[in-house]
Amino acid sequence: MTKTTEQDSHYQHLEKMSVGEVLTNINREDQTVALAVQKAIPQIEQLISVTVSSMKAGGRLFYIGAGTSGRLGILDASECPPTFGVSDNWIIGLIAGKDMAIRKAVEFAEDDEGQAWRDLQEHHINAKDVVLGIAASGSTPYVLGGLKAANEAGLKTGCIVCNENTPIAAVSQYPIEIIVGPEFVTGSTRMKAGTAQKLALNMISTTVMIQLGRVKGNKMVDMQMTNNKLFGRGTRILMDELGLDAVTASNLLERHGSVRKAIDEYTKNINID
């Protein structure tokens, strides 16, 4: 049986469509993705629960993938330190072909079933860690081999795939199957499958960070203020949270260097007074 992600597009003769028709039809397909993700929420919840427990015990979360899937994992991992103020060693994205593959396709890199485990070992992987394989097809050798080795080493494993009954889901302890159906351009899994993976990764990392206390209320109180926009956002958080004027909030933030520290110190001093 042909994998869902490889089935023929619902649309024919794309080159004969007007620009407006192409855009409308892509958008029509995209609207189905969030509903597919919704069906997978129970699976996503199970993975998050075990990940939070593992990270509270000192573990880390690793993403492994090839091509688009690998790039999405790296994107999500790289955004956690500036967003949540965590170490870049908490959530780590690995891609078949290493850093060169982030920008350019590396021929046959995904076909080596032993490479992912070698890449993981460079990070001194241990039994406290969680490995999440990302592969739209559900059969990428790089991911499959990495998950098999992780299981043998006693790690927790999960996956995000976009086909049913795949080899990768079969070897994952916590599989997430998001069935998005055929792509607008047949087999182009950077489209709906990639969108589904991005949505799931957003849910996973954000929820994990919330559960680990890296959000207060609905604010990114641990974000790294690496530019004027983020410093301004931090100032507004302090204004809202503490009822301060802009100048006082800005000075407080500059003095303490983080929103959380500023809130904690200001609150402590108020209570002392």
Side-chain angles (χ1 to χ4, degrees), residues 3 63-66 69 94-96 109-120 131-153 156-161 165-173 175:
K3 295 175 181 176
Y63 299 141
I64 58 173
S69 298
L94 301 177
I95 185 171
E110 70 175 58
D111 295 329
D112 186 340
E113 196 166 306
Q115 187 59 50
W117 184 245
R118 292 191 289 272
D119 292 345
L120 287 164
V131 178
L132 176 63
I134 312 169
S137 67
S139 59
T140 307
Y142 177 84
V143 176
L144 182 62
L147 292 174
K148 286 179 179 178
N151 284 332
E152 292 171 3
K156 299 289 191 300
T157 59
C159 69
I160 303 172
V161 298
N165 304 316
T166 64
I168 285 174
V171 301
S172 298
Q173 298 164 32

Side-chain angles (χ1 to χ4, degrees), residues 211-225:
Q211 294 296 305
L212 293 176
R214 309 306 295 193
V215 172
K216 180 178 174 60
N218 59 15
K219 303 297 194 301
M220 297 182 290
V221 294
D222 291 316
M223 65 181 177
Q224 296 174 359
M225 289 168 294

Side-chain angles (χ1 to χ4, degrees), residues 45-261:
E45 183 177 0
Q46 287 185 325
L47 174 75
I48 289 171
S49 295
V50 73
T51 300
V52 170
S53 296
S54 296
M55 294 185 77
K56 283 182 176 178
R60 299 162 294 172
L61 173 60
F62 287 85
Y63 299 141
I64 58 173
T68 297
S69 298
R71 295 181 190 104
L72 288 170
I74 289 172
L75 173 63
D76 191 74
S78 67
E79 289 180 342
C80 287
T83 304
F84 301 107
V86 298
S87 165
D88 58 10
N89 194 41
W90 270 27
I91 300 181
I92 300 168
L94 301 177
I95 185 171
K98 297 188 178 289
D99 286 357
M100 188 192 321
I102 297 172
R103 291 183 178 275
K104 296 181 179 180
V106 177
E107 289 186 4
F108 304 110
E110 70 175 58
D111 295 329
D112 186 340
E113 196 166 306
Q115 187 59 50
W117 184 245
R118 292 191 289 272
D119 292 345
L120 287 164
Q121 286 180 307
E122 291 180 10
H123 295 269
H124 307 290
I125 197 87
N126 65 78
K128 293 180 180 179
D129 297 327
V130 178
V131 178
L132 176 63
I134 312 169
S137 67
S139 59
T140 307
Y142 177 84
V143 176
L144 182 62
L147 292 174
K148 286 179 179 178
N151 284 332
E152 292 171 3
L155 281 72
K156 299 289 191 300
T157 59
C159 69
I160 303 172
V161 298
C162 296
N163 286 308
E164 293 179 303
N165 304 316
T166 64
I168 285 174
V171 301
S172 298
Q173 298 164 32
Y174 299 93
I176 298 168
E177 296 177 313
I178 306 174
I179 313 305
V180 295
E183 298 287 359
F184 178 71
V185 176
T186 299
S188 182
T189 52
R190 71 184 183 86
M191 301 186 77
K192 289 196 299 182
T195 300
Q197 292 169 340
K198 180 67 170 79
L199 290 175
L201 289 167
N202 285 348
M203 296 166 79
I204 291 165
S205 58
T206 302
T207 307
V208 166
M209 291 295 109
I210 290 170
Q211 294 296 305
L212 293 176
R214 309 306 295 193
V215 172
K216 180 178 174 60
N218 59 15
K219 303 297 194 301
M220 297 182 290
V221 294
D222 291 316
M223 65 181 177
Q224 296 174 359
M225 289 168 294
T226 53
N227 57 49
N228 290 332
K229 178 191 74 174
L230 296 178
F231 189 88
R233 181 183 296 161
T235 299
R236 290 191 296 276
I237 291 174
L238 293 181
M239 292 169 65
D240 293 341
E241 197 74 19
L242 302 175
L244 302 176
D245 62 77
V247 173
T248 303
S250 178
N251 290 339
L252 185 67
L253 186 57
E254 192 160 350
R255 185 160 65 250
H256 293 291
S258 89
V259 175
R260 184 184 292 277
K261 288 180 182 177

